[in-house]
Amino acid sequence: MVDAWHIYHVENCQYTIPVKDKFIAVVCFNPNPYGFLINSKICLYIQKRPELLACQVKISADKYGFLHHDSYIDCSNILSFKGSELNGIQKIQNNTRKEIKKVVSNTKLIAPIYKKLICGERD
């Protein structure tokens, strides 16, 4: 079963070029699991764009045992996944969850429907 606020491993992730294995932070459902890619570094393209750079949430290898080094959750682009492609790794820690919500609530890059789902706002 896939749960929100967990990190999953995806083999041959369709959202990367070239296709490769990725870690994903699942943050909501609509109705499929939706999440953000986790990257080992912040690419130059993002570094040069303040609106994208502000959407990177650092996670440290000492708190997330599956990581080999500190990494970044890219909260600038929410992506849909099939539950069958997600292999559970670890629950997202509360401090990381709060930081993701803060970043999402402050960006204009995420559609309002997903902001509400992620940040827990209700109509």
Side-chain angles (χ1 to χ4, degrees):
M1 182 174 164
V2 177
D3 292 312
W5 301 109
H6 283 75
I7 295 174
Y8 294 87
H9 179 258
V10 175
E11 291 184 18
N12 302 314
C13 181
Q14 63 181 333
Y15 297 112
T16 62
I17 300 172
V19 170
K20 61 184 172 181
D21 292 0
K22 289 295 285 182
F23 293 116
I24 308 300
V26 171
V27 294
C28 67
F29 291 85
N30 190 30
N32 292 332
Y34 277 77
F36 300 119
L37 296 178
I38 298 175
N39 299 308
S40 57
K41 60 183 178 178
I42 300 174
C43 70
L44 189 57
Y45 179 85
I46 290 174
Q47 290 178 27
K48 291 184 175 185
R49 289 161 179 80
E51 69 280 3
L52 295 176
L53 189 58
C55 292
Q56 308 305 303
V57 173
K58 185 176 182 178
I59 57 174
S60 60
D62 63 331
K63 293 184 179 177
Y64 291 91
F66 63 92
L67 293 173
H68 298 289
H69 44 75
D70 293 350
S71 296
Y72 301 87
I73 301 172
D74 181 0
C75 300
S76 68
N77 187 22
I78 192 155
L79 305 166
S80 176
F81 295 90
K82 296 175 187 168
S84 60
E85 65 185 324
L86 301 171
N87 299 302
I89 300 289
Q90 183 176 342
K91 185 176 180 179
I92 295 174
Q93 296 179 3
N94 285 337
N95 60 333
T96 305
R97 185 175 176 164
K98 288 176 187 174
E99 187 64 24
I100 290 169
K101 286 182 174 189
K102 179 181 169 187
V103 165
V104 167
S105 68
N106 290 327
T107 186
K108 294 179 182 178
L109 300 173
I110 300 296
I113 182 68
Y114 295 106
K115 284 186 173 195
K116 286 181 181 181
L117 290 169
I118 294 166
C119 297
E121 299 172 8
R122 306 226 186 262
D123 288 330

mmCIF file of all heavy atoms in Angstrom, residues 104-123:
data_model
loop_
_atom_site.group_PDB
_atom_site.id
_atom_site.type_symbol
_atom_site.label_atom_id
_atom_site.label_comp_id
_atom_site.label_asym_id
_atom_site.label_seq_id
_atom_site.Cartn_x
_atom_site.Cartn_y
_atom_site.Cartn_z
ATOM 1 N N VAL A 104 5.890 24.583 -0.815
ATOM 2 C CA VAL A 104 4.731 24.458 -1.705
ATOM 3 C C VAL A 104 3.770 25.636 -1.517
ATOM 4 O O VAL A 104 3.257 26.194 -2.486
ATOM 5 C CB VAL A 104 4.016 23.106 -1.482
ATOM 6 C CG1 VAL A 104 2.654 23.075 -2.157
ATOM 7 C CG2 VAL A 104 4.886 21.969 -1.981
ATOM 8 N N SER A 105 3.536 26.030 -0.274
ATOM 9 C CA SER A 105 2.593 27.130 -0.035
ATOM 10 C C SER A 105 3.115 28.454 -0.573
ATOM 11 O O SER A 105 2.324 29.342 -0.902
ATOM 12 C CB SER A 105 2.258 27.248 1.453
ATOM 13 O OG SER A 105 3.389 27.668 2.182
ATOM 14 N N ASN A 106 4.431 28.595 -0.716
ATOM 15 C CA ASN A 106 5.028 29.855 -1.171
ATOM 16 C C ASN A 106 5.314 29.921 -2.666
ATOM 17 O O ASN A 106 5.672 30.988 -3.167
ATOM 18 C CB ASN A 106 6.325 30.135 -0.405
ATOM 19 C CG ASN A 106 6.064 30.488 1.041
ATOM 20 O OD1 ASN A 106 5.051 31.091 1.365
ATOM 21 N ND2 ASN A 106 6.973 30.101 1.913
ATOM 22 N N THR A 107 5.174 28.827 -3.382
ATOM 23 C CA THR A 107 5.507 28.844 -4.808
ATOM 24 C C THR A 107 4.276 29.043 -5.680
ATOM 25 O O THR A 107 3.175 28.654 -5.306
ATOM 26 C CB THR A 107 6.245 27.561 -5.244
ATOM 27 O OG1 THR A 107 6.656 27.717 -6.606
ATOM 28 C CG2 THR A 107 5.371 26.333 -5.122
ATOM 29 N N LYS A 108 4.486 29.637 -6.842
ATOM 30 C CA LYS A 108 3.423 29.778 -7.838
ATOM 31 C C LYS A 108 3.515 28.664 -8.877
ATOM 32 O O LYS A 108 2.728 28.620 -9.807
ATOM 33 C CB LYS A 108 3.530 31.143 -8.525
ATOM 34 C CG LYS A 108 3.265 32.290 -7.583
ATOM 35 C CD LYS A 108 3.409 33.622 -8.270
ATOM 36 C CE LYS A 108 3.172 34.738 -7.257
ATOM 37 N NZ LYS A 108 3.347 36.057 -7.852
ATOM 38 N N LEU A 109 4.475 27.764 -8.715
ATOM 39 C CA LEU A 109 4.717 26.707 -9.696
ATOM 40 C C LEU A 109 3.811 25.487 -9.521
ATOM 41 O O LEU A 109 3.694 24.668 -10.425
ATOM 42 C CB LEU A 109 6.181 26.266 -9.641
ATOM 43 C CG LEU A 109 7.206 27.368 -9.933
ATOM 44 C CD1 LEU A 109 8.617 26.862 -9.689
ATOM 45 C CD2 LEU A 109 7.045 27.883 -11.351
ATOM 46 N N ILE A 110 3.168 25.374 -8.370
ATOM 47 C CA ILE A 110 2.296 24.229 -8.089
ATOM 48 C C ILE A 110 0.844 24.704 -8.171
ATOM 49 O O ILE A 110 0.475 25.714 -7.574
ATOM 50 C CB ILE A 110 2.594 23.633 -6.692
ATOM 51 C CG1 ILE A 110 4.054 23.156 -6.605
ATOM 52 C CG2 ILE A 110 1.625 22.495 -6.356
ATOM 53 C CD1 ILE A 110 4.415 22.034 -7.536
ATOM 54 N N ALA A 111 0.026 23.951 -8.908
ATOM 55 C CA ALA A 111 -1.386 24.296 -9.084
ATOM 56 C C ALA A 111 -2.105 24.329 -7.728
ATOM 57 O O ALA A 111 -1.794 23.525 -6.832
ATOM 58 C CB ALA A 111 -2.052 23.286 -10.009
ATOM 59 N N PRO A 112 -3.073 25.237 -7.571
ATOM 60 C CA PRO A 112 -3.801 25.368 -6.292
ATOM 61 C C PRO A 112 -4.400 24.061 -5.770
ATOM 62 O O PRO A 112 -4.380 23.827 -4.566
ATOM 63 C CB PRO A 112 -4.894 26.388 -6.612
ATOM 64 C CG PRO A 112 -4.305 27.231 -7.702
ATOM 65 C CD PRO A 112 -3.488 26.267 -8.534
ATOM 66 N N ILE A 113 -4.911 23.211 -6.635
ATOM 67 C CA ILE A 113 -5.490 21.942 -6.184
ATOM 68 C C ILE A 113 -4.451 21.103 -5.442
ATOM 69 O O ILE A 113 -4.745 20.502 -4.410
ATOM 70 C CB ILE A 113 -6.120 21.138 -7.352
ATOM 71 C CG1 ILE A 113 -6.761 19.848 -6.834
ATOM 72 C CG2 ILE A 113 -5.116 20.809 -8.437
ATOM 73 C CD1 ILE A 113 -7.972 20.034 -5.990
ATOM 74 N N TYR A 114 -3.223 21.078 -5.935
ATOM 75 C CA TYR A 114 -2.171 20.290 -5.284
ATOM 76 C C TYR A 114 -1.660 20.981 -4.032
ATOM 77 O O TYR A 114 -1.307 20.319 -3.056
ATOM 78 C CB TYR A 114 -1.049 19.967 -6.269
ATOM 79 C CG TYR A 114 -1.565 19.066 -7.363
ATOM 80 C CD1 TYR A 114 -1.794 19.558 -8.642
ATOM 81 C CD2 TYR A 114 -1.893 17.749 -7.098
ATOM 82 C CE1 TYR A 114 -2.319 18.738 -9.631
ATOM 83 C CE2 TYR A 114 -2.417 16.926 -8.078
ATOM 84 C CZ TYR A 114 -2.633 17.425 -9.335
ATOM 85 O OH TYR A 114 -3.165 16.623 -10.307
ATOM 86 N N LYS A 115 -1.642 22.309 -4.041
ATOM 87 C CA LYS A 115 -1.275 23.038 -2.822
ATOM 88 C C LYS A 115 -2.219 22.663 -1.686
ATOM 89 O O LYS A 115 -1.790 22.400 -0.573
ATOM 90 C CB LYS A 115 -1.318 24.545 -3.049
ATOM 91 C CG LYS A 115 -0.152 25.093 -3.815
ATOM 92 C CD LYS A 115 -0.236 26.614 -3.839
ATOM 93 C CE LYS A 115 1.002 27.206 -4.444
ATOM 94 N NZ LYS A 115 1.116 28.637 -4.179
ATOM 95 N N LYS A 116 -3.524 22.621 -2.000
ATOM 96 C CA LYS A 116 -4.515 22.256 -0.976
ATOM 97 C C LYS A 116 -4.326 20.824 -0.491
ATOM 98 O O LYS A 116 -4.381 20.539 0.704
ATOM 99 C CB LYS A 116 -5.935 22.433 -1.519
ATOM 100 C CG LYS A 116 -6.351 23.869 -1.638
ATOM 101 C CD LYS A 116 -7.774 23.990 -2.148
ATOM 102 C CE LYS A 116 -8.173 25.443 -2.289
ATOM 103 N NZ LYS A 116 -9.554 25.587 -2.768
ATOM 104 N N LEU A 117 -4.092 19.908 -1.430
ATOM 105 C CA LEU A 117 -3.893 18.505 -1.052
ATOM 106 C C LEU A 117 -2.637 18.320 -0.202
ATOM 107 O O LEU A 117 -2.634 17.558 0.758
ATOM 108 C CB LEU A 117 -3.821 17.636 -2.304
ATOM 109 C CG LEU A 117 -5.119 17.468 -3.092
ATOM 110 C CD1 LEU A 117 -4.856 16.807 -4.434
ATOM 111 C CD2 LEU A 117 -6.136 16.674 -2.270
ATOM 112 N N ILE A 118 -1.562 19.014 -0.565
ATOM 113 C CA ILE A 118 -0.293 18.857 0.143
ATOM 114 C C ILE A 118 -0.307 19.563 1.497
ATOM 115 O O ILE A 118 0.150 19.019 2.488
ATOM 116 C CB ILE A 118 0.871 19.389 -0.735
ATOM 117 C CG1 ILE A 118 1.031 18.508 -1.973
ATOM 118 C CG2 ILE A 118 2.172 19.459 0.069
ATOM 119 C CD1 ILE A 118 1.886 19.111 -3.061
ATOM 120 N N CYS A 119 -0.840 20.754 1.525
ATOM 121 C CA CYS A 119 -0.780 21.572 2.739
ATOM 122 C C CYS A 119 -1.940 21.323 3.694
ATOM 123 O O CYS A 119 -1.997 21.908 4.769
ATOM 124 C CB CYS A 119 -0.675 23.044 2.371
ATOM 125 S SG CYS A 119 0.840 23.423 1.461
ATOM 126 N N GLY A 120 -2.877 20.478 3.273
ATOM 127 C CA GLY A 120 -3.971 20.106 4.166
ATOM 128 C C GLY A 120 -5.082 21.120 4.283
ATOM 129 O O GLY A 120 -5.882 21.046 5.202
ATOM 130 N N GLU A 121 -5.134 22.061 3.345
ATOM 131 C CA GLU A 121 -6.216 23.052 3.369
ATOM 132 C C GLU A 121 -7.504 22.375 2.908
ATOM 133 O O GLU A 121 -7.494 21.499 2.058
ATOM 134 C CB GLU A 121 -5.883 24.218 2.447
ATOM 135 C CG GLU A 121 -4.639 24.951 2.851
ATOM 136 C CD GLU A 121 -4.228 25.981 1.814
ATOM 137 O OE1 GLU A 121 -4.980 26.224 0.858
ATOM 138 O OE2 GLU A 121 -3.133 26.525 1.962
ATOM 139 N N ARG A 122 -8.601 22.801 3.458
ATOM 140 C CA ARG A 122 -9.892 22.228 3.074
ATOM 141 C C ARG A 122 -10.811 23.342 2.594
ATOM 142 O O ARG A 122 -10.761 24.452 3.057
ATOM 143 C CB ARG A 122 -10.529 21.535 4.281
ATOM 144 C CG ARG A 122 -9.614 20.517 4.913
ATOM 145 C CD ARG A 122 -10.352 19.238 5.196
ATOM 146 N NE ARG A 122 -9.494 18.330 5.917
ATOM 147 C CZ ARG A 122 -8.824 17.344 5.324
ATOM 148 N NH1 ARG A 122 -8.896 17.174 4.042
ATOM 149 N NH2 ARG A 122 -8.065 16.541 6.025
ATOM 150 N N ASP A 123 -11.665 22.993 1.625
ATOM 151 C CA ASP A 123 -12.657 23.971 1.135
ATOM 152 C C ASP A 123 -13.790 24.127 2.117
ATOM 153 O O ASP A 123 -14.132 23.259 2.846
ATOM 154 C CB ASP A 123 -13.213 23.516 -0.223
ATOM 155 C CG ASP A 123 -12.173 23.670 -1.323
ATOM 156 O OD1 ASP A 123 -11.342 24.570 -1.222
ATOM 157 O OD2 ASP A 123 -12.242 22.880 -2.270
#
